[in-house]
Amino acid sequence: MSYKSQVEEMIQEYVESVGLTKKDTYNSETDSWNWKRGSASIEVFIADGKNNREYLCIYSPLMKVPAKEEFSFYRHLLELNYSKLGLKLAIRSSSEFVYAVSERDINGMDYNELSVCIKDLEWWADKLDDELQELFPH
């Protein structure tokens, strides 16, 4: 069994540990797991890093970039990136959404580390989606 397959099994174990099922969370077309944590949408998948490495990726869209106060918004995101450990905030080039992101090389990953990565991102995403939308309403 490949290490990627082992990590996929660990993701499924995590999903089941929080009371969800593979049927409700796994999308075979995108090879990803998706669910909600509070108000946050969570997506988990393994990505090919194109450097002979694979990465656990955990993403959550937080909000659309506001049309007003863009400079203040981006500055606030950079300040959050500096102060929030284990989390980065990012914007995909093809999207108008800000994402909470956690990524880690799967090499050597065990279930405890995977679980902490997912739980941390779930917590931050559920907190920040509400906070950012309150600070920068559309």
Side-chain angles (χ1 to χ4, degrees):
M1 176 184 291
S2 73
Y3 200 72
K4 178 182 178 185
S5 297
Q6 291 175 24
V7 174
E8 289 172 337
E9 285 186 9
M10 287 189 277
I11 295 168
Q12 188 56 46
E13 182 180 347
Y14 177 82
V15 164
E16 292 169 3
S17 79
V18 296
L20 301 170
T21 66
K22 185 172 187 171
K23 180 182 176 203
D24 293 334
T25 59
Y26 183 70
N27 181 335
S28 60
E29 290 179 23
T30 61
D31 198 17
S32 66
W33 290 258
N34 301 273
W35 65 88
K36 296 283 274 184
R37 164 62 153 69
S39 58
S41 297
I42 307 298
E43 179 181 12
V44 178
F45 60 95
I46 298 173
D48 181 351
K50 307 286 187 223
N51 55 357
N52 294 323
R53 295 166 64 188
E54 293 174 307
Y55 294 83
L56 173 70
C57 299
I58 312 157
Y59 285 62
S60 180
L62 299 178
M63 70 175 286
K64 259 182 114 172
V65 174
K68 299 177 184 177
E69 300 183 65
E70 256 187 274
F71 179 82
S72 298
F73 180 71
Y74 288 127
R75 179 174 179 92
H76 187 71
L77 293 182
L78 287 171
E79 290 170 356
L80 289 172
N81 270 340
Y82 181 78
S83 66
K84 307 301 182 205
L85 299 175
L87 167 79
K88 69 180 179 181
L89 301 169
I91 298 172
R92 291 180 180 169
S93 61
S94 61
S95 175
E96 295 181 34
F97 277 86
V98 173
Y99 292 83
V101 179
S102 178
E103 299 169 320
R104 192 238 190 245
D105 186 322
I106 65 170
N107 189 30
M109 180 175 276
D110 63 17
Y111 178 77
N112 185 58
E113 186 173 8
L114 177 135
S115 175
V116 167
C117 288
I118 295 173
K119 285 178 186 175
D120 283 356
L121 195 280
E122 286 176 326
W123 188 85
W124 281 119
D126 189 36
K127 177 177 172 45
L128 289 174
D129 66 346
D130 297 327
E131 287 180 8
L132 285 171
Q133 290 178 47
E134 186 176 315
L135 286 171
F136 298 95
H138 281 95

